[in-house]
Amino acid sequence: MLEMPQSMVEMALKTMGDRWKVMIIQELMDGTKRFGEIKKELGDITQKVLTSNLRALEEKGILIRTVYAQIPPRVEYTLTNLGYSLKPVLDSMKEWAEQYYNQNMKPLLSA
């Protein structure tokens, strides 16, 4: 049974989910990438977790997975228009994080 979120913010959080999904979306903002490229850029993500998150984002219509019938097989991931529409959200999150860091973390590190 489909359960509606209590707010639109909750819906956004359930769609983007966790840090890995947000980082995958951010990584694909630059354009189409292959699995190995995404994994390399994200660093310590496991193959299983990356695969799971890519599938979830595909199911939610955030990205498209394109498989090319060649040997070896080539798979590419591209954001949909819906995925690209998250750019202002990610930009706002980055701006907020920079402000938070400068106000709260930087003074502690300087002490």
Side-chain angles (χ1 to χ4, degrees):
M1 183 173 160
L2 183 64
E3 186 178 321
M4 289 298 295
Q6 293 181 11
S7 72
M8 292 295 116
V9 172
E10 181 184 0
M11 183 184 310
L13 288 172
K14 283 185 175 187
T15 301
M16 289 195 306
D18 56 40
R19 75 174 180 142
W20 289 123
K21 286 185 185 85
V22 172
M23 291 174 68
I24 290 166
I25 294 166
Q26 182 178 357
E27 192 57 40
L28 290 172
M29 283 292 166
D30 295 334
T32 301
K33 295 199 174 158
R34 295 175 71 171
F35 184 92
E37 293 174 302
I38 298 168
K39 186 170 184 337
K40 181 179 177 183
E41 290 299 321
L42 297 182
D44 59 349
I45 189 170
T46 66
Q47 186 167 334
K48 180 180 178 181
V49 170
L50 178 55
T51 299
S52 171
N53 281 284
L54 287 167
R55 286 183 183 153
L57 290 168
E58 182 181 15
E59 288 172 9
K60 294 180 183 291
I62 304 295
L63 60 81
I64 297 170
R65 178 179 183 261
T66 306
V67 180
Y68 296 93
Q70 64 184 48
I71 298 175
R74 188 176 91 206
V75 180
E76 293 181 340
Y77 297 90
T78 306
L79 291 176
T80 61
N81 288 337
L82 182 62
Y84 280 115
S85 73
L86 289 167
K87 184 167 178 19
V89 175
L90 296 180
D91 289 345
S92 293
M93 289 171 67
K94 180 182 176 189
E95 184 179 317
W96 180 88
E98 288 170 352
Q99 290 174 3
Y100 178 83
Y101 173 81
N102 288 331
Q103 292 174 6
N104 299 289
M105 303 303 291
K106 197 173 185 179
L108 294 174
L109 298 173
S110 300

